[in-house]
Amino acid sequence: GQNIDQPTEMTATEGAIVQINCTYQTSGFNGLFWYQQHAGEAPTFLSYNVLDGLEEKGRFSSFLSRSKGYSYLLLKELQMKDSASYLCAVRDSNYQLIWGAGTKLIIKP
Amino acid sequence: IAGITQAPTSQILAAGRRMTLRCTQDMRHNAMYWYRQDLGLGLRLIHYSNTAGTTGKGEVPDGYSVSRANTDDFPLTLASAVPSQTSVYFCASSAVGGSYNEQFFGPGTRLTVL
């Protein structure tokens, strides 16, 4: 079967750095996405990785290792507005997205 | 610029009733999707359409039907609602053939079936 695993909840302090991990087992791989979802709102696109390595976009970076079936999202200089759920999704061989259950990130002052 | 709109925003429905959730996008995206999101679970694909005139079944299609008469609209119908269909429903769309083809989401419809 297909499976995406990520921690259910994480807590971090304002101004700090946090790493959210995602491991996956899917039938085929055509890219990995990270989305942010604030409570009661729609998911919004954060990043995309299809090759191994690090993609940096401002305070957010995403890393991929295809051989290990592993990705992480790194958030730097945390702000209170970063409190949200972070969703990992893999595009499979049918070009459909398989979604993890999401990691709820709580930022404390 | 609207992106994707969904209607209604929320609905309480009696079991056994028929209900259509509406979704419209103005980005001229070929592909559209319907997901449901339940607490503790990832987004689950109900139905999708890769282009106008075609539809396909996702992971959890039972009890739902869709149509794609044109590029912009992708309605989802519950023929006879059951309480297990209580959920938040998101419509999404994406371009096809580009590099990312990330999905853009509508604001969601919160549906309660009693």
Side-chain angles (χ1 to χ4, degrees), chain B residues 63-76:
Chain B
Y64 306 95
S65 63
V66 291
S67 61
R68 187 88 184 277
N70 56 61
T71 298
D72 299 344
D73 301 300
F74 191 43
L76 176 75

Side-chain angles (χ1 to χ4, degrees), chain A residues 71-91:
Chain A
S71 173
Y72 67 72
L73 180 69
L74 192 71
L75 291 74
K76 304 175 187 175
E77 302 169 14
L78 286 170
Q79 302 175 9
M80 297 304 293
K81 67 179 182 180
D82 296 330
S83 292
S85 289
Y86 292 85
L87 315 181
C88 174
V90 172
R91 188 156 56 197

Side-chain angles (χ1 to χ4, degrees), chain B residues 33-79:
Chain B
Y33 313 86
W34 273 106
Y35 293 95
R36 60 178 291 172
Q37 188 174 40
D38 302 291
L39 200 62
L41 299 177
L43 288 160
R44 292 184 291 169
L45 183 65
I46 304 171
H47 285 286
Y48 65 94
S49 169
N50 288 330
T51 189
T54 69
T55 62
K57 294 181 179 179
E59 180 187 355
V60 289
D62 294 343
Y64 306 95
S65 63
V66 291
S67 61
R68 187 88 184 277
N70 56 61
T71 298
D72 299 344
D73 301 300
F74 191 43
L76 176 75
T77 297
L78 289 67

Side-chain angles (χ1 to χ4, degrees), chain A residues 41-43, chain B residues 4-6 89-93 104-108:
Chain A
E41 298 183 8
Chain B
I4 301 183
T5 59
Q6 292 184 235
Y89 291 86
F90 287 104
C91 179
S93 71
F104 295 84
F105 284 79

Side-chain angles (χ1 to χ4, degrees), chain A residues 8-22:
Chain A
T8 301
E9 186 174 297
M10 299 182 70
T11 301
T13 304
E14 190 177 15
I17 299 174
V18 70
Q19 177 176 311
I20 302 174
N21 296 326
C22 170

